[in-house]
Amino acid sequence: PNTMIIIGVDQIRKTAGPCEEETLLCMVEHIFGFPEKLRQPPQDDDNDGSELIINIGFQDGLNEFLSALIAVRELQKLHLPLHILAEIAGCIEATIPFRAQDAVTGKSYLDHLHDRLSFVNNTFTLGMPQNRIIKAVQRAAVLANADVGNVGSTDLLRFLDCTWKLLPETNEGLRAGRHFATLREFHFALFKIYGFFRYFIHADLVFSSFSNSNIPDIRKRHAQSIRNIEVGRRYVVAKVMSLSVLSAFAQLTGGDGADEPISLFTADDELLSSTLNNPDQQARQQNVAVHYDEDVYQILSKGRRSEMPFDG
């Protein structure tokens, strides 16, 4: 049958011919495991049932799939052999981040990638021996770990900078800068990144290995990622709380303020940092005990290394 891929939430369709007519597309689909996913019956009245529909969302690796497909199609023009293209697609598939073990089989995503590369090797007669497939998956693991390497970095500010740079990618309004991005847009973006820290990113899912490769290095980076994620979560909570206060003022003063630029509500960074007192000093003045995270306080007080245009 033909394949109809529904890409993302906008239901944009890309129709391809039979597998033998679209070898690269079919191969990349198998490497990403899309044929294994639930295929829904066609909804079109004019469809005679000869087309299968595969739903592909961002959490299924939509960006990585499109990147791999474009990459192998462009690299094919350089006359690279099909098995090299399969290895490249496998490396890109491995960069889909933060995937847990399969609840049914107990396999990791790298185990599944090995199985899929083995299937593709046999189906498309790629001629790769088993040891080459293992090395291809190990190479994919190295790339995947490098892709999220900042999470396990000893440079905490670098990790936060990389995380903050994701905000404009999924929040178009923030690309205009703080003089145009609204308070509501920034508040909504912060809630999403809070959800990222709270529900999506877990230290156990950051770094992976295959066939016991690079275990000592992964353990070291895993330990650092636990601390980085915790600091990141606390930092975002503090930012959400500050934006919540501003949003409350905006709502109480008529409600329209939430759609005003962030710059209307925030002062210059130097003024903010100069008025932020040390918690220990405040505790001594008020004769109370205080508990706080020193790393989070220092970042809030001095700012991240690279401030973004939309920061308030």
Side-chain angles (χ1 to χ4, degrees), residues 92-214:
I92 298 175
E93 193 279 341
T95 62
I96 303 173
F98 316 131
R99 286 179 283 176
Q101 284 189 336
D102 190 309
V104 177
T105 65
K107 291 185 175 182
S108 70
Y109 74 91
L110 291 173
D111 292 327
H112 282 304
L113 178 59
H114 174 268
D115 295 343
R116 292 166 185 161
L117 282 175
S118 298
F119 174 83
V120 165
N121 184 52
N122 294 329
T123 302
F124 295 90
T125 321
L126 303 184
M128 290 192 291
Q130 186 59 221
N131 65 328
R132 179 167 187 129
I133 297 176
I134 292 174
K135 287 186 179 297
V137 178
Q138 290 175 335
R139 191 181 302 115
V142 171
L143 178 62
N145 290 336
D147 192 45
V148 293
N150 66 85
V151 183
S153 173
T154 55
D155 187 346
L156 178 58
L157 293 179
R158 175 173 172 261
F159 164 61
L160 282 178
D161 279 352
C162 291
T163 303
W164 228 245
K165 289 176 182 177
L166 296 175
L167 285 175
E169 292 186 13
T170 56
N171 300 275
E172 185 177 355
L174 299 186
R175 301 171 195 170
R178 69 198 298 261
H179 295 290
F180 296 96
T182 68
L183 180 63
R184 189 190 307 276
E185 289 169 333
F186 191 30
H187 203 181
F188 180 69
L190 282 179
F191 266 113
K192 287 203 294 187
I193 203 167
Y194 170 75
F196 170 77
F197 276 107
R198 180 70 175 85
Y199 303 108
F200 190 62
I201 181 172
H202 299 282
D204 292 339
L205 306 181
V206 177
F207 300 108
S208 303
S209 67
F210 184 75
S211 293
N212 297 320
S213 60
N214 301 321

Side-chain angles (χ1 to χ4, degrees), residues 9-278:
V9 296
D10 293 328
Q11 304 290 286
I12 304 172
R13 296 184 176 185
K14 176 180 178 62
T15 305
C19 198
E20 60 271 14
E21 296 179 10
E22 281 278 3
T23 301
L24 284 180
L25 173 60
C26 190
M27 184 181 74
V28 174
E29 281 183 356
H30 281 287
I31 290 173
F32 275 72
F34 291 151
E36 301 167 13
K37 300 181 184 296
L38 177 65
R39 294 174 181 260
Q40 299 180 355
Q43 302 296 320
D44 295 341
D45 294 334
D46 58 351
N47 194 307
D48 60 3
S50 63
E51 292 179 322
L52 297 175
I53 297 178
I54 309 173
N55 283 316
I56 303 174
F58 288 102
Q59 292 185 347
D60 300 311
L62 170 61
N63 289 342
E64 291 81 3
F65 169 71
L66 295 176
S67 296
L69 186 59
I70 292 171
V72 297
R73 281 180 167 170
E74 290 300 309
L75 291 172
Q76 186 187 40
K77 299 175 184 178
L78 302 178
H79 305 290
L80 290 180
L82 200 57
H83 72 273
I84 296 292
L85 298 178
E87 292 178 0
I88 292 172
C91 282
I92 298 175
E93 193 279 341
T95 62
I96 303 173
F98 316 131
R99 286 179 283 176
Q101 284 189 336
D102 190 309
V104 177
T105 65
K107 291 185 175 182
S108 70
Y109 74 91
L110 291 173
D111 292 327
H112 282 304
L113 178 59
H114 174 268
D115 295 343
R116 292 166 185 161
L117 282 175
S118 298
F119 174 83
V120 165
N121 184 52
N122 294 329
T123 302
F124 295 90
T125 321
L126 303 184
M128 290 192 291
Q130 186 59 221
N131 65 328
R132 179 167 187 129
I133 297 176
I134 292 174
K135 287 186 179 297
V137 178
Q138 290 175 335
R139 191 181 302 115
V142 171
L143 178 62
N145 290 336
D147 192 45
V148 293
N150 66 85
V151 183
S153 173
T154 55
D155 187 346
L156 178 58
L157 293 179
R158 175 173 172 261
F159 164 61
L160 282 178
D161 279 352
C162 291
T163 303
W164 228 245
K165 289 176 182 177
L166 296 175
L167 285 175
E169 292 186 13
T170 56
N171 300 275
E172 185 177 355
L174 299 186
R175 301 171 195 170
R178 69 198 298 261
H179 295 290
F180 296 96
T182 68
L183 180 63
R184 189 190 307 276
E185 289 169 333
F186 191 30
H187 203 181
F188 180 69
L190 282 179
F191 266 113
K192 287 203 294 187
I193 203 167
Y194 170 75
F196 170 77
F197 276 107
R198 180 70 175 85
Y199 303 108
F200 190 62
I201 181 172
H202 299 282
D204 292 339
L205 306 181
V206 177
F207 300 108
S208 303
S209 67
F210 184 75
S211 293
N212 297 320
S213 60
N214 301 321
I215 294 296
D217 178 60
I218 288 176
R219 286 175 178 168
K220 180 180 178 181
R221 290 201 278 180
H222 173 266
Q224 183 64 44
S225 68
I226 295 175
R227 176 58 182 163
N228 288 352
I229 293 170
E230 178 62 19
V231 171
R233 185 187 65 80
R234 291 178 176 178
Y235 174 73
V236 171
V237 167
K239 298 289 281 187
V240 168
M241 287 181 63
S242 67
L243 262 293
S244 296
V245 172
L246 290 179
S247 296
F249 278 122
Q251 186 67 32
L252 290 172
T253 54
D256 294 338
D259 294 313
E260 297 292 338
I262 303 170
S263 57
L264 183 66
F265 299 90
T266 57
D268 292 335
D269 291 337
E270 292 129 5
L271 176 61
L272 289 174
S273 61
S274 65
T275 57
L276 185 60
N277 295 325
N278 185 285

Side-chain angles (χ1 to χ4, degrees), residues 284-295:
R284 287 193 297 270
Q285 293 173 348
Q286 300 175 17
N287 195 28
V288 295
V290 61
H291 301 281
Y292 67 99
D293 189 308
E294 178 65 25
D295 288 332

